[in-house]
């Protein structure tokens, strides 16, 4: 692995994050005010039981008001989650020289590396990631563990098999909550599984001697429809709560509730719902004693599928707020425009006028 590649990846080399103090490359204190989050019980992120008789309404409300919620009674066995967590731990516990053998290089979308959004920031995040694409997983696991690669691949496959139907069910419930009928949903891309693509990203936030000066994962919205997040029970995820009746815009810490997943609404679900569902800004903080591990499972459209507001939501009073876009197009826009990417897709007055004039 050339030193150039490791610089591009924004992974810090010295002893795999075992610093005693924060190097300047990772010190965000001049850039970032680390506004602290409210105590958990002041502001509660919805926890939704998937067996709740009022499930559709509760999901709709959570998507509109928060853009994030926790799900319980999701049907995925804790035993599978324990094995999944152990393999994530095993991966990031490898020496950095070994992990760099499967480094994500430019033009590839799988392997070990820094945060994909890291090029937008002048400092390194306190973070390591591993992007999984089914096609290359087997080869990469063989490089990481020549003597036992199959246990990693088998658990990843098992997890994907379990989480896929859960993600489809959630998307379906979300669209039902917008008022579409089952038949109408069948005719949308959400009703056609061949139009949906998924992707998994493993995240590690090592323990840090001075957590207030670093950033785990910088604030961002996910670009897909939704992400289902597994974590190892270590707190750190925070969401930006919109201004509401009880206060101004503020960071809220996502509580750690056993046997739940966190579900985040992404940009394309915001577009699909014509702005009704909130694409939540979130970030990850780190702590002094425990490594935080997480796995984001993203659901989005296949790369050539354009997503625009659902036609069923349009009416005389309500036109589309956004122009249709593909997932890769939006990711590319985010990589330069960051939080202004969706703004640039807005059907603004000028475009409306042009359409009327045509
Ligand atoms: C499918 C994907 C979503 C993601 C880009 C990726 O190709 C794999 C990494 C994902 C991630 C994780 C950290 C935040 C994020 C915005 C990023 O830069 O990489 C998301 C991307 C996304 O939601 O577009
Ligand atoms: O670590 C987490 O909980 C969040 C990860 C995340 O936001 C992402 O992978 O997009
Ligand atoms: Fe995210």
């Amino acid at each position: 692995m050339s030193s150039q590649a490791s610089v591009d990846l924004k992974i810090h080399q010295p002893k795999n994050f075992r610093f005693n103090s924060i190097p300047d490359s990772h010190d965000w204190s001049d850039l970032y005010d680390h506004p602290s989050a409210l105590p958990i019980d002041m502001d509660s992120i919805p926890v939704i039981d998937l067996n709740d008789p009022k499930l559709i309404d509760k999901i709709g409300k959570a998507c509109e008001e928060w853009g994030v919620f926790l799900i319980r009674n999701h049907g995925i066995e804790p035993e599978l989650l324990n094995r999944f967590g152990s393999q994530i731990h095993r991966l990031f516990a490898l020496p950095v020289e070994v992990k760099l053998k499967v480094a994500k290089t430019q033009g590839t979308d799988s392997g070990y590396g820094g945060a994909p959004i890291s090029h937008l920031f002048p400092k390194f995040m306190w973070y390591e990631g591993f992007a999984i694409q089914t096609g290359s997983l087997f080869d990469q696991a063989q490089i990481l563990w020549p003597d036992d690669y199959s246990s990693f691949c088998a658990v990843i496959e098992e997890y994907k098999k379990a989480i896929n139907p859960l993600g489809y069910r959630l998307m379906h419930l979300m669209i039902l909550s917008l008022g579409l009928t089952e038949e109408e949903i069948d005719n949308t891309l959400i009703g056609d599984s061949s139009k949906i693509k998924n992707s998994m990203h493993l995240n590690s936030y090592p323990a840090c001697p001075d957590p207030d000066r670093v950033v785990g994962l910088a604030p961002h919205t996910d670009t897909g429809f939704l992400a289902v997040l597994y974590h190892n029970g270590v707190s750190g995820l925070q969401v930006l709560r919109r201004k509401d009746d009880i206060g101004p815009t503020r960071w809220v810490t996502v509580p750690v509730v056993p046997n739940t997943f966190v579900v985040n609404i992404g940009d394309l679900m915001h577009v699909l719902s014509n702005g009704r569902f909130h694409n939540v800004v979130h970030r990850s903080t780190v702590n002094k004693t425990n490594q935080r591990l997480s796995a984001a499972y993203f659901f989005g459209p296949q790369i050539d599928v354009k997503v625009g507001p659902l036609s069923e939501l349009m009416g005389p009073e309500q036109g589309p707020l956004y122009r249709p876009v593909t997932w890769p197009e939006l990711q590319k826009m985010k990589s330069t425009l960051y939080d202004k990417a969706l703004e640039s897709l807005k059907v603004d007055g000028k475009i409306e006028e042009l359409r009327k004039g045509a």
Side-chain angles (χ1 to χ4, degrees):
M1 178 54 47
S2 70
S3 58
Q4 180 60 43
S6 58
V7 169
D8 288 341
L9 289 165
K10 283 207 171 185
I11 305 164
H12 213 276
Q13 301 292 308
K15 291 286 166 220
N16 204 6
F17 285 100
R18 279 184 215 111
F19 306 113
N20 291 325
S21 62
I22 310 300
D24 183 55
S25 57
H26 286 68
D27 190 338
W28 291 62
S29 26
D30 293 344
L31 293 167
Y32 201 67
D33 59 355
H34 273 279
S36 53
L38 283 184
I40 287 163
D41 55 357
M42 295 273 297
D43 216 352
S44 12
I45 292 174
V47 182
I48 300 181
D49 186 329
L50 293 191
N51 294 331
D52 192 311
K54 296 212 171 101
L55 182 58
I56 297 173
D57 292 349
K58 290 202 173 162
I59 290 213
K61 193 167 186 280
C63 292
E64 287 186 22
E65 290 181 4
W66 283 88
V68 62
F69 55 92
L70 270 59
I71 47 170
R72 60 154 53 105
N73 275 323
H74 44 68
I76 299 185
E77 292 298 326
E79 185 272 334
L80 168 59
L81 297 180
N82 287 341
R83 282 187 290 121
F84 181 57
S86 305
Q87 290 295 333
I88 302 174
H89 184 266
R90 179 176 174 233
L91 167 73
F92 288 111
L94 287 168
V96 72
E97 315 78 74
V98 176
K99 291 180 278 194
L100 283 171
K101 288 185 189 166
V102 295
K104 193 157 63 166
T105 48
Q106 237 172 14
T108 61
D109 49 7
S110 60
Y112 176 69
I117 46 174
S118 56
H119 68 278
L120 293 163
F121 304 93
K123 299 286 177 149
F124 288 22
M125 296 175 210
W126 204 261
Y127 172 91
E128 303 171 273
F130 188 80
I132 293 184
Q133 297 298 334
T134 312
S136 40
L137 180 62
F138 185 82
D139 293 344
Q140 293 188 326
Q142 234 173 344
I143 295 171
L144 293 172
W145 300 284
D147 298 327
D148 175 18
Y149 54 88
S150 57
S151 49
F152 183 79
C153 298
V155 170
I156 297 290
E157 282 312 312
E158 214 181 315
Y159 182 78
K160 285 175 71 171
K161 255 198 191 140
I163 210 91
N164 266 330
L166 179 62
Y168 286 114
R169 183 173 172 214
L170 289 167
M171 288 191 283
H172 195 94
L173 289 162
M174 287 172 191
I175 308 303
L176 276 176
S177 82
L178 290 170
L180 273 74
T181 62
E182 294 283 356
E183 294 70 40
E184 284 172 331
I185 295 177
D186 283 348
N187 295 324
T188 69
L189 75 165
I190 299 297
D192 179 356
S193 60
S194 70
K195 293 216 162 73
I196 305 293
K197 178 183 187 295
N198 356 83
S199 161
M200 197 189 308
H201 212 257
L202 309 180
N203 306 304
S204 161
Y205 310 91
C208 174
D210 201 347
D212 289 343
R213 285 167 60 195
V214 306
V215 165
L217 189 57
H220 66 278
T221 54
D222 299 332
T223 48
F225 290 133
L226 58 87
V228 179
L229 292 174
Y230 157 89
H231 60 75
N232 67 340
V234 175
S235 175
L237 180 63
Q238 296 183 341
V239 298
L240 194 63
R241 178 79 166 108
R242 286 188 295 186
K243 177 178 173 305
D244 62 7
D245 301 343
I246 67 161
T249 306
R250 57 202 180 272
W251 286 103
V252 176
T253 298
V254 177
V256 169
V257 181
N259 301 319
T260 60
F261 288 105
V262 180
V263 179
N264 281 344
I265 297 298
D267 299 332
L268 289 178
M269 187 57 89
H270 173 80
V271 169
L272 194 73
S273 68
N274 207 27
R276 266 175 65 180
F277 290 165
H278 179 57
N279 48 337
V280 68
V281 177
H282 52 285
R283 68 179 184 185
S284 190
T285 58
V286 305
N287 75 75
K288 227 173 182 158
T289 45
N290 295 313
Q291 177 187 26
R292 177 159 190 275
L293 297 170
S294 70
Y297 200 74
F298 299 101
F299 290 81
Q302 291 288 1
I303 56 170
D304 54 351
V305 173
K306 286 224 183 238
V307 178
L310 286 164
S311 56
E312 291 78 1
L313 302 177
M314 301 303 128
E317 303 286 300
Q318 183 60 76
L321 296 181
Y322 295 99
R323 281 174 282 127
V325 66
T326 66
W327 200 4
E329 281 166 357
L330 182 56
Q331 285 185 3
K332 198 162 166 229
M333 290 162 77
K334 290 270 283 260
S335 75
T336 48
L337 298 173
Y338 186 44
D339 57 347
K340 304 284 178 298
L342 270 192
E343 200 60 35
S344 73
L345 281 174
K346 274 208 167 135
V347 176
D348 57 23
K350 267 194 207 133
I351 291 171
E352 280 288 77
E353 274 165 32
L354 284 174
R355 286 215 177 109
K356 278 182 201 147

